[in-house]
Amino acid sequence: MRIPERDEKQRLYEDARLRISGLTAGEPDRIARMAGIVSVLHGLMPHYYWTGFYRVLGGGLVIGPYQGTVGCARIAWGRGVCGAAWQTGETQVVADVHAFPGHIACDALSESEIVVPVRDRDGRIVAVFDVDSTLPGAFDDIDRIGLEWIFSAWGE
């Protein structure tokens, strides 16, 4: 596992966006779109260890399509990095998960994390996209911008 340099990261996100738009164009099923997105990003990004969605169902987040080790099945509103992204509606970039108040350790190998809220066409958060890395400080503004760019078309 390695963290790509800035230029490589940008190219990888551009490639991912093209692949994802081709894969998901016209697909009405949200779970199918999620599965395709996870597959593309998990396969392309050398710094991704756990890649997946938590879907908003009822009063909590429920695990959706993912790739990696076993994840937490459910996460409550405001709990951990995923719950914070859902509660604030803002992307969470965490360089050291052990320093994040209330971090949920679904996998002891996780060192850093990024979580992006995913909104429907009406602006409601319908899921969060969660990525963990076994490397500290693996995620930065390039990841945030790249993922927010990918999910900006989600509700279209």
Side-chain angles (χ1 to χ4, degrees):
M1 181 161 291
R2 67 180 179 79
I3 302 170
E5 295 294 324
R6 179 179 184 85
D7 290 344
E8 181 187 3
K9 242 188 213 189
Q10 287 176 318
R11 284 192 304 275
L12 287 169
Y13 281 110
E14 289 167 10
D15 185 21
R17 172 108 181 199
L18 289 172
R19 290 182 191 202
I20 288 167
S21 64
L23 186 64
T24 61
E27 176 53 63
D29 186 81
R30 191 176 281 167
I31 301 294
R33 291 195 322 258
M34 288 177 174
I37 290 167
V38 167
S39 181
V40 168
L41 288 168
H42 192 77
L44 272 179
M45 302 300 182
H47 57 308
Y48 282 26
Y49 171 70
W50 194 98
T51 310
F53 286 90
Y54 280 93
R55 299 169 295 125
V56 175
L57 288 175
L61 295 171
V62 178
I63 199 164
Y66 74 93
Q67 290 189 19
T69 57
V70 174
C72 297
R74 294 182 180 267
I75 298 174
W77 170 264
R79 287 228 33 238
V81 182
C82 290
W86 181 27
Q87 184 177 36
T88 64
E90 297 176 359
T91 298
Q92 304 290 307
V93 180
V94 181
D96 177 1
V97 295
H98 308 293
F100 189 88
H103 174 254
I104 302 168
C106 297
D107 187 319
L109 294 178
S110 179
E111 293 291 334
S112 59
E113 187 170 4
I114 185 169
V115 181
V116 180
V118 179
R119 300 175 189 278
D120 66 12
R121 70 182 67 218
D122 297 322
R124 290 183 303 250
I125 296 174
V126 295
V128 296
F129 183 72
D130 179 21
V131 183
D132 290 33
S133 180
T134 59
L135 303 170
F139 306 106
D140 57 20
D141 273 346
I142 300 297
D143 297 282
R144 181 186 58 76
I145 292 165
L147 289 171
E148 288 176 350
W149 183 46
I150 286 167
F151 290 110
S152 68
W154 178 265
E156 294 176 1

